[in-house]
Amino acid sequence: IQSCGMIGDGRIFLQGTNYLSTGAFIPDPTGGSAHGFQIIDYLQSPLEYLVYPYGQMVIPLDDSRVWMAGGRQNLDGDGNLGNDPPAGVTREFNLDTMVFSQGADPNLSERTWGYWDPWIEADTYAVACGGVDGNVESNPNTLVEIFNLATQEVLLAASLDRNRPGCNMNVLDDGTILITGGHAEGDAITDGGAILVPYFD
């Protein structure tokens, strides 16, 4: 499994390395071990969206749809994403029809293994951390971006105070973005976090 996300009705979208491990997982409401897994309908999904990248961002949109972007294709199977191409496509997956389709494209920076969080305005999300390729420690992504999926706009792109490979991100109640942790092995730890307060003119 490469990425996952839970939608509003409790179903979990799982993306694996092929269509047999990609689909919807339905947890047992009684808490037991029984479950159902539905694989995607690859015959009905357009071929250009049938990609299974590593480290892709998965954002639940409502009770049936998830949006995906970023990540890298490990086409040569060597586990080194730094020599592999980006996915190069944004997609939506519908858990009711089990079909992929084209997704909104806000032209975000290339990012693998990043973190996302809903921002405080409708249809807006913040994303940070991760890497520009598969090597998060050597090539971390230093941008914090706020984007709107409805208008397909990047509203803000701000650089972190320093490289923070392996960091985490959270959006606070007032829209402030908190970046915690993250440092390269052997580097001095100068502080524990960073705070970004977005201002728009």
Side-chain angles (χ1 to χ4, degrees), residues 37-168:
F37 180 71
Q38 297 173 281
I39 65 173
I40 67 170
D41 188 348
Y42 71 99
L43 295 177
Q44 299 301 319
S45 295
L47 289 177
E48 61 264 39
Y49 307 127
L50 285 176
V51 294
Y52 310 99
Y54 287 60
Q56 191 164 54
M57 183 166 56
V58 175
I59 295 179
L61 299 179
D62 53 30
D63 282 353
S64 63
R65 295 157 48 236
V66 296
W67 175 88
M68 286 157 282
R72 290 263 167 174
Q73 294 278 67
N74 188 27
L75 298 179
D76 53 14
D78 66 355
N80 176 17
L81 301 183
N83 61 12
D84 291 306
V89 65
T90 58
R91 307 175 295 161
E92 278 195 21
F93 184 69
N94 189 307
L95 275 74
D96 292 333
T97 62
M98 305 301 289
V99 168
F100 280 110
S101 62
Q102 183 176 0
D105 186 4
N107 195 29
L108 293 164
S109 64
E110 181 58 41
R111 193 182 304 267
T112 303
W113 310 118
Y115 288 93
W116 67 271
D117 215 359
W119 202 59
I120 58 175
E121 296 181 0
D123 300 316
T124 59
Y125 302 88
V127 59
C129 304
V132 296
D133 57 25
N135 193 327
V136 173
E137 182 170 310
S138 298
N139 301 303
N141 189 318
T142 60
L143 286 178
V144 180
E145 296 166 283
I146 297 176
F147 59 101
N148 186 299
L149 277 183
T151 62
Q152 303 190 36
E153 294 178 283
V154 176
L155 306 176
L156 175 71
S159 295
L160 285 172
D161 56 329
R162 61 179 172 85
N163 285 352
R164 291 178 175 269
C167 66
N168 198 2

